[in-house]
Short mmCIF file of all heavy atoms in Angstrom, two decimals:
data_model
loop_
_atom_site.label_atom_id
_atom_site.label_comp_id
_atom_site.label_asym_id
_atom_site.label_seq_id
_atom_site.Cartn_x
_atom_site.Cartn_y
_atom_site.Cartn_z
N ALA C 1 0.84 -1.21 0.00
CA ALA C 1 0.00 0.00 0.00
C ALA C 1 0.87 1.25 0.00
O ALA C 1 0.56 2.25 -0.67
CB ALA C 1 -0.93 0.00 1.22
N ILE C 2 1.98 1.22 0.74
CA ILE C 2 2.89 2.36 0.75
C ILE C 2 3.57 2.51 -0.61
O ILE C 2 3.73 3.63 -1.12
CB ILE C 2 3.94 2.20 1.87
CG1 ILE C 2 3.25 2.25 3.23
CG2 ILE C 2 5.01 3.29 1.77
CD1 ILE C 2 4.17 2.03 4.41
N PHE C 3 3.95 1.41 -1.23
CA PHE C 3 4.55 1.48 -2.57
C PHE C 3 3.60 2.18 -3.55
O PHE C 3 3.99 3.06 -4.31
CB PHE C 3 4.87 0.07 -3.09
CG PHE C 3 6.04 -0.59 -2.44
CD1 PHE C 3 6.12 -1.96 -2.33
CD2 PHE C 3 7.10 0.16 -1.95
CE1 PHE C 3 7.21 -2.58 -1.74
CE2 PHE C 3 8.20 -0.43 -1.35
CZ PHE C 3 8.25 -1.81 -1.25
N TYR C 4 2.33 1.77 -3.53
CA TYR C 4 1.34 2.37 -4.43
C TYR C 4 1.12 3.85 -4.12
O TYR C 4 0.98 4.67 -5.03
CB TYR C 4 0.01 1.62 -4.33
CG TYR C 4 0.04 0.19 -4.76
CD1 TYR C 4 -0.52 -0.81 -3.97
CD2 TYR C 4 0.63 -0.18 -5.97
CE1 TYR C 4 -0.48 -2.14 -4.37
CE2 TYR C 4 0.66 -1.51 -6.38
CZ TYR C 4 0.10 -2.49 -5.57
OH TYR C 4 0.14 -3.80 -5.96
N THR C 5 1.10 4.18 -2.83
CA THR C 5 0.89 5.57 -2.44
C THR C 5 2.03 6.47 -2.92
O THR C 5 1.79 7.57 -3.44
CB THR C 5 0.76 5.68 -0.91
OG1 THR C 5 -0.33 4.86 -0.47
CG2 THR C 5 0.49 7.12 -0.48
N VAL C 6 3.25 6.00 -2.75
CA VAL C 6 4.41 6.77 -3.23
C VAL C 6 4.37 6.89 -4.75
O VAL C 6 4.66 7.95 -5.32
CB VAL C 6 5.73 6.10 -2.78
CG1 VAL C 6 6.93 6.78 -3.42
CG2 VAL C 6 5.86 6.15 -1.25
N LEU C 7 3.98 5.81 -5.42
CA LEU C 7 3.88 5.85 -6.89
C LEU C 7 2.89 6.92 -7.33
O LEU C 7 3.16 7.67 -8.29
CB LEU C 7 3.45 4.48 -7.41
CG LEU C 7 3.21 4.38 -8.92
CD1 LEU C 7 4.50 4.68 -9.69
CD2 LEU C 7 2.67 3.00 -9.29
N LEU C 8 1.77 7.04 -6.63
CA LEU C 8 0.77 8.05 -6.99
C LEU C 8 1.29 9.46 -6.79
O LEU C 8 0.85 10.40 -7.47
CB LEU C 8 -0.50 7.85 -6.17
CG LEU C 8 -1.40 6.68 -6.59
CD1 LEU C 8 -2.56 6.53 -5.63
CD2 LEU C 8 -1.91 6.86 -8.01
N GLU C 9 2.21 9.65 -5.84
CA GLU C 9 2.79 10.98 -5.63
C GLU C 9 3.58 11.43 -6.84
O GLU C 9 3.64 12.62 -7.17
CB GLU C 9 3.69 10.97 -4.38
CG GLU C 9 2.94 10.84 -3.07
CD GLU C 9 2.04 12.03 -2.80
OE1 GLU C 9 2.54 13.17 -2.86
OE2 GLU C 9 0.84 11.82 -2.54
N PHE C 10 4.22 10.48 -7.53
CA PHE C 10 5.03 10.81 -8.71
C PHE C 10 4.26 10.63 -10.02
O PHE C 10 4.58 11.27 -11.01
CB PHE C 10 6.29 9.92 -8.74
CG PHE C 10 7.25 10.19 -7.62
CD1 PHE C 10 7.24 9.42 -6.47
CD2 PHE C 10 8.15 11.25 -7.71
CE1 PHE C 10 8.12 9.67 -5.43
CE2 PHE C 10 9.04 11.51 -6.68
CZ PHE C 10 9.03 10.73 -5.53
N SER C 11 3.26 9.75 -10.00
CA SER C 11 2.52 9.46 -11.22
C SER C 11 1.03 9.29 -10.88
O SER C 11 0.55 8.15 -10.71
CB SER C 11 3.08 8.19 -11.89
OG SER C 11 2.37 7.88 -13.07
N PRO C 12 0.29 10.40 -10.76
CA PRO C 12 -1.12 10.33 -10.33
C PRO C 12 -2.01 9.51 -11.26
O PRO C 12 -3.07 9.05 -10.83
CB PRO C 12 -1.55 11.80 -10.34
CG PRO C 12 -0.28 12.58 -10.20
CD PRO C 12 0.76 11.79 -10.93
N GLU C 13 -1.58 9.33 -12.51
CA GLU C 13 -2.40 8.58 -13.46
C GLU C 13 -2.05 7.09 -13.47
O GLU C 13 -2.58 6.33 -14.30
CB GLU C 13 -2.22 9.15 -14.86
CG GLU C 13 -0.90 8.84 -15.56
CD GLU C 13 0.28 9.66 -15.02
OE1 GLU C 13 0.04 10.56 -14.19
OE2 GLU C 13 1.42 9.38 -15.42
N ALA C 14 -1.21 6.63 -12.56
CA ALA C 14 -0.73 5.24 -12.58
C ALA C 14 -1.82 4.23 -12.25
O ALA C 14 -1.76 3.08 -12.68
CB ALA C 14 0.44 5.08 -11.60
N ILE C 15 -2.82 4.66 -11.48
CA ILE C 15 -3.90 3.76 -11.06
C ILE C 15 -5.23 4.29 -11.59
O ILE C 15 -5.60 5.44 -11.35
CB ILE C 15 -3.98 3.65 -9.52
CG1 ILE C 15 -2.62 3.23 -8.95
CG2 ILE C 15 -5.06 2.66 -9.11
CD1 ILE C 15 -2.20 1.83 -9.25
N LYS C 16 -5.95 3.46 -12.32
CA LYS C 16 -7.25 3.85 -12.88
C LYS C 16 -8.37 3.45 -11.94
O LYS C 16 -8.29 2.42 -11.28
CB LYS C 16 -7.45 3.17 -14.24
CG LYS C 16 -8.74 3.56 -14.95
CD LYS C 16 -8.83 2.91 -16.32
CE LYS C 16 -9.01 1.41 -16.21
NZ LYS C 16 -9.24 0.78 -17.53
N GLY C 17 -9.42 4.29 -11.88
CA GLY C 17 -10.57 3.96 -11.05
C GLY C 17 -10.63 4.76 -9.77
O GLY C 17 -11.51 4.54 -8.94
N MET C 18 -9.70 5.70 -9.61
CA MET C 18 -9.69 6.57 -8.44
C MET C 18 -9.13 7.92 -8.84
O MET C 18 -8.43 8.05 -9.83
CB MET C 18 -8.85 5.98 -7.32
CG MET C 18 -7.38 5.79 -7.68
SD MET C 18 -6.33 5.48 -6.26
CE MET C 18 -6.31 7.06 -5.44
N GLU C 19 -9.50 8.93 -8.07
CA GLU C 19 -8.96 10.26 -8.28
C GLU C 19 -7.86 10.49 -7.28
O GLU C 19 -8.10 10.56 -6.08
CB GLU C 19 -10.06 11.31 -8.09
CG GLU C 19 -10.26 12.17 -9.33
CD GLU C 19 -11.34 13.21 -9.10
OE1 GLU C 19 -11.02 14.27 -8.57
OE2 GLU C 19 -12.48 12.91 -9.47
N ALA C 20 -6.61 10.57 -7.75
CA ALA C 20 -5.49 10.77 -6.84
C ALA C 20 -5.64 12.12 -6.16
O ALA C 20 -5.81 13.15 -6.81
CB ALA C 20 -4.17 10.70 -7.61
N GLY C 21 -5.61 12.12 -4.84
CA GLY C 21 -5.75 13.35 -4.08
C GLY C 21 -4.65 13.50 -3.05
O GLY C 21 -3.49 13.19 -3.32
N HIS C 22 -5.02 13.95 -1.84
CA HIS C 22 -4.05 14.07 -0.76
C HIS C 22 -3.50 12.69 -0.42
O HIS C 22 -4.21 11.69 -0.48
CB HIS C 22 -4.73 14.70 0.46
CG HIS C 22 -3.77 15.15 1.51
ND1 HIS C 22 -3.36 14.33 2.54
CD2 HIS C 22 -3.13 16.33 1.69
CE1 HIS C 22 -2.51 14.98 3.33
NE2 HIS C 22 -2.36 16.20 2.82
N TRP C 23 -2.23 12.65 -0.05
CA TRP C 23 -1.59 11.35 0.15
C TRP C 23 -2.25 10.52 1.24
O TRP C 23 -2.23 9.28 1.18
CB TRP C 23 -0.10 11.52 0.43
CG TRP C 23 0.24 12.10 1.77
CD1 TRP C 23 0.41 13.41 2.08
CD2 TRP C 23 0.47 11.37 2.98
NE1 TRP C 23 0.72 13.56 3.40
CE2 TRP C 23 0.78 12.33 3.98
CE3 TRP C 23 0.45 10.03 3.32
CZ2 TRP C 23 1.05 11.96 5.30
CZ3 TRP C 23 0.73 9.66 4.64
CH2 TRP C 23 1.03 10.62 5.60
N THR C 24 -2.87 11.15 2.23
CA THR C 24 -3.56 10.39 3.27
C THR C 24 -4.77 9.65 2.71
O THR C 24 -5.03 8.51 3.07
CB THR C 24 -4.00 11.31 4.42
OG1 THR C 24 -4.77 12.40 3.90
CG2 THR C 24 -2.80 11.87 5.16
N ASP C 25 -5.49 10.31 1.80
CA ASP C 25 -6.61 9.64 1.13
C ASP C 25 -6.10 8.54 0.22
O ASP C 25 -6.69 7.44 0.15
CB ASP C 25 -7.43 10.64 0.33
CG ASP C 25 -8.16 11.65 1.22
OD1 ASP C 25 -8.54 11.27 2.34
OD2 ASP C 25 -8.33 12.80 0.79
N ASN C 26 -5.02 8.83 -0.50
CA ASN C 26 -4.44 7.82 -1.38
C ASN C 26 -4.01 6.58 -0.61
O ASN C 26 -4.20 5.44 -1.06
CB ASN C 26 -3.22 8.40 -2.12
CG ASN C 26 -3.61 9.48 -3.12
OD1 ASN C 26 -4.77 9.60 -3.51
ND2 ASN C 26 -2.63 10.28 -3.52
N LEU C 27 -3.40 6.79 0.57
CA LEU C 27 -2.92 5.67 1.38
C LEU C 27 -4.08 4.77 1.80
O LEU C 27 -3.97 3.53 1.74
CB LEU C 27 -2.18 6.20 2.61
CG LEU C 27 -1.64 5.14 3.58
CD1 LEU C 27 -0.67 4.21 2.87
CD2 LEU C 27 -0.97 5.80 4.77
N SER C 28 -5.19 5.37 2.18
CA SER C 28 -6.34 4.59 2.60
C SER C 28 -6.90 3.77 1.44
O SER C 28 -7.18 2.57 1.58
CB SER C 28 -7.43 5.51 3.16
OG SER C 28 -8.55 4.78 3.55
N ILE C 29 -7.05 4.40 0.28
CA ILE C 29 -7.59 3.69 -0.89
C ILE C 29 -6.62 2.63 -1.38
O ILE C 29 -7.00 1.53 -1.77
CB ILE C 29 -7.92 4.69 -2.01
CG1 ILE C 29 -8.99 5.67 -1.55
CG2 ILE C 29 -8.40 3.96 -3.27
CD1 ILE C 29 -9.25 6.80 -2.52
N MET C 30 -5.33 2.96 -1.37
CA MET C 30 -4.32 2.00 -1.83
C MET C 30 -4.17 0.83 -0.87
O MET C 30 -3.73 -0.25 -1.27
CB MET C 30 -2.99 2.71 -2.02
CG MET C 30 -2.93 3.63 -3.25
SD MET C 30 -3.21 2.75 -4.83
CE MET C 30 -4.97 2.99 -5.08
N THR C 31 -4.53 1.03 0.38
CA THR C 31 -4.54 -0.09 1.32
C THR C 31 -5.61 -1.10 0.91
O THR C 31 -5.37 -2.32 0.89
CB THR C 31 -4.80 0.40 2.75
OG1 THR C 31 -3.74 1.28 3.14
CG2 THR C 31 -4.85 -0.77 3.72
N TYR C 32 -6.78 -0.59 0.57
CA TYR C 32 -7.85 -1.46 0.06
C TYR C 32 -7.39 -2.17 -1.21
O TYR C 32 -7.51 -3.40 -1.34
CB TYR C 32 -9.10 -0.63 -0.22
CG TYR C 32 -10.04 -1.25 -1.22
CD1 TYR C 32 -10.87 -2.31 -0.86
CD2 TYR C 32 -10.10 -0.77 -2.52
CE1 TYR C 32 -11.72 -2.89 -1.78
CE2 TYR C 32 -10.95 -1.34 -3.45
CZ TYR C 32 -11.76 -2.41 -3.07
OH TYR C 32 -12.60 -2.98 -4.00
#
């Protein structure tokens, strides 16, 4: 989940199906 969250910080379009936002929100969604 941390790997995915860091990836979104550098590449917000890396994951489809979510809107990359604040890293705390990203971490929660990426945990799921």
Side-chain angles (χ1 to χ4, degrees):
I2 295 177
F3 287 151
Y4 296 132
T5 302
V6 173
L7 177 62
L8 285 175
E9 289 296 308
F10 294 97
S11 179
E13 74 285 353
I15 306 290
K16 183 176 69 174
M18 62 166 289
E19 238 181 85
H22 193 270
W23 71 269
T24 53
D25 293 328
N26 292 342
L27 179 59
S28 179
I29 298 172
M30 287 300 95
T31 298
Y32 157 76

